[in-house]
Amino acid sequence: MSLLGLSKKSDYGLAMLVMLAKRGVGEVVSTAEMVEEKELPRAFISQIAKEFIRVGIVGSKEGKGGGYFLKRDPEDIRVKEVVEAVEGKVRPAKCVHGECDRSDKCEHMRFMKRLAKDMEGVLESYSLAEVIGR
C-alpha cells in the first residue's frame, strides 16, 4: 500500500466488495455486472477475487448464473483485511518490515514503524458495512 493512498488494485477490490455487500451475503454477482455497473476492468476482477477467495471474504460459483458472492457479513470484514488481501502488509515504507538496505543508516525508521502501526489501526477500525453506509 502506498503512503499517500490506495492502489488501483485496492480501489477496484473495495468497489467489488461494495457491490457484493450491497447485494447481500451469498448473493451472486456476475463478472459482466461488475464490468458494467462499476466499470471494473475484467482482467482485475478474477485476479482480485482470487485473493479475496484465498482469505475467505468471497466465494465463487461457476457456470450459468455464476460469479462471485460475499461469504461473510460486511460488519465482520475489516478494511485492513481487504487492503492486505490485495496489497500485502500495510506499510508506509519498506523499512517497516525489514526490506530496506539502508536500515543501518536510517534516522526515521522508528517514526515509519509508528506510522505503520497507526495506519493499520485506522484500517482495522472500519468495517465494510461502514464503507457502504450501514
Side-chain angles (χ1 to χ4, degrees), residues 1 6 10 14 17 52 55 57 72 76-91 97 116-128 131:
M1 182 179 140
L6 296 177
S10 288
L14 269 174
L17 291 179
F52 290 150
V55 298
I57 297 173
R72 298 180 3 224
D76 299 329
I77 300 170
R78 311 315 296 176
V79 172
K80 177 179 180 261
E81 181 181 11
V82 171
V83 171
E84 288 186 343
V86 294
E87 298 289 339
K89 199 81 169 132
V90 174
R91 61 186 183 181
H97 297 289
K117 185 177 179 181
D118 290 347
M119 288 169 58
E120 287 180 21
V122 168
L123 293 174
E124 183 68 33
S125 73
Y126 290 101
S127 70
L128 182 58
V131 174

Side-chain angles (χ1 to χ4, degrees), residues 3 92-93 95-96 106-119:
L3 175 60
C95 64
V96 172
C106 184
E107 296 179 6
H108 61 279
M109 185 186 315
R110 193 172 71 231
F111 168 76
M112 288 300 197
K113 287 183 177 185
R114 193 173 88 214
L115 179 60
K117 185 177 179 181
D118 290 347
M119 288 169 58

Side-chain angles (χ1 to χ4, degrees), residues 16-17 19-30 33-34 58-61 65-72:
M16 174 188 218
L17 291 179
M19 187 172 193
L20 296 177
K22 286 184 172 183
R23 294 286 176 94
V25 175
E27 295 296 320
V28 177
V29 178
S30 71
E33 287 177 273
M34 290 182 201
V58 167
S60 66
K61 179 182 176 195
Y68 300 102
F69 58 91
L70 204 60
K71 288 181 73 174
R72 298 180 3 224

